[in-house]
Amino acid sequence: MNLMQEDIIHNLGIIEKRIQDACNKSNRDRKEVKLLLATKTVSADRIKIAVEHGYHLIAENKVQEVKEKHQILSELPIEQHFIGHLQTNKVKDIMKYGISCIQSLDRISLAEKLQQYLERNDCTIDVFLQVNTSDENSKFGIAPSEARNFAKEIAQFDRLNIKGLMTIGLFSADESLVRPCFKRLRTAQLQIQELGLPNVEMKELSMGMSQDLEIAINEGATIIRVGTAIFGQRIYPDSYYWNENSNS
Ligand SMILES: *Cc1c(COP(=O)(O)O)cnc(C)c1O
């Protein structure tokens, strides 16, 4: 076993303990929280190490990376989500690679393109609505105040199964700024649940990353998305993936 592999497995152990501790503190069952591997910039071989260690939920931010890693990953027992900004002209491209859920649905035009593709191919896909809970212009997602109306509109696309909400939250070490973001997502979830939209489950809350997963679990996360704390620092800043200037 080389060092790289040992590091990843070691880090998974640390994360697992952090999740367990956070669940204990919040009186939650560990089974309620799924660990999603956020694998942008991570090679397929390194992802494979984590998958073989028992983690099967992975997600990319860019269509190009999904494509590049597809061959190796397709041989593994994984469930793959997409968590990046998806351009409408890339919909056809990405659907070829067995993505089961788009967590970053943030606009009607994207829903329309997905619906068209899914009708033509007679299938459906799971989606999360992405909410911008930190009110930063640089981040994608609908405003929390728009979430209800957005959910109503998306519910009319019968090929899209709305499973929940996703947010990135504020990237800060200050808990008093981070926690309100997660609370906003939880509030939006409750508001949408109250609408009782047919065929809308709204059970999932995808929030929390390497730095703030404990807060997210405490605020009700059902999926935390972790990259750096497992695979190490990335060379690109996250703004490269998250803001308007990024090219998917
Ligand atoms: C990169 C990324 C993550 C993981 O962030 P880390 O800080 O590396 O854990 C989670 N969600 C999204 C949308 C990301 O792009």
Side-chain angles (χ1 to χ4, degrees), residues 44-226:
D45 287 330
R46 296 174 73 215
I47 297 169
K48 194 172 169 184
I49 295 166
V51 173
E52 285 172 344
H53 210 67
Y55 295 92
H56 303 286
L57 183 56
I58 75 170
E60 291 291 342
N61 292 63
K62 290 193 181 277
V63 176
Q64 183 59 31
E65 286 194 52
V66 174
K67 200 184 278 188
E68 283 165 10
K69 301 172 198 177
H70 179 69
Q71 201 176 1
I72 292 176
L73 295 183
S74 64
E75 291 160 9
L76 303 176
I78 55 163
E79 176 182 348
Q80 189 164 21
H81 291 191
F82 191 77
I83 56 175
H85 180 62
L86 184 56
Q87 293 176 330
T88 43
N89 64 5
K90 295 273 171 72
V91 164
K92 227 168 48 192
D93 231 15
I94 196 171
M95 298 305 253
K96 286 185 283 203
Y97 299 106
I99 303 280
S100 65
C101 177
I102 309 280
Q103 289 201 8
S104 43
L105 183 59
D106 59 354
R107 60 201 192 282
I108 301 295
S109 59
L110 178 57
E112 283 169 350
K113 265 280 157 19
L114 288 166
Q115 173 81 13
Q116 271 172 21
Y117 178 93
L118 296 161
E119 277 177 7
R120 229 179 283 133
N121 294 275
D122 195 20
C123 48
T124 62
I125 197 167
D126 292 345
V127 295
F128 288 25
L129 312 181
Q130 182 172 353
V131 181
N132 182 349
T133 54
S134 56
D135 197 25
E136 295 165 284
N137 290 332
S138 61
K139 289 205 185 117
F140 295 108
I142 45 161
S145 59
E146 297 290 324
R148 250 179 303 196
N149 279 333
F150 188 64
K152 276 190 220 164
E153 290 188 70
I154 298 299
Q156 299 185 22
F157 295 91
D158 66 348
R159 301 282 171 162
L160 306 181
N161 308 316
I162 308 179
K163 295 290 186 185
L165 302 177
M166 185 273 265
T167 196
I168 292 179
L170 193 73
F171 195 71
S172 165
D174 185 344
E175 180 175 333
S176 72
L177 300 174
V178 174
R179 188 178 287 277
C181 294
F182 299 149
K183 280 193 192 295
R184 280 177 208 123
L185 199 69
R186 172 91 178 115
T187 302
Q189 179 197 35
L190 293 173
Q191 289 173 341
I192 294 169
Q193 282 172 347
E194 275 170 15
L195 295 173
L197 297 167
N199 305 320
V200 175
E201 285 187 27
M202 244 331 122
K203 284 189 187 138
E204 306 280 356
L205 282 182
S206 175
M207 58 190 193
M209 314 195 303
S210 292
Q211 176 170 297
D212 51 22
L213 65 92
E214 285 86 355
I215 308 170
I217 289 172
N218 189 241
E219 293 296 335
T222 61
I223 297 180
I224 54 168
R225 309 178 308 267
V226 180

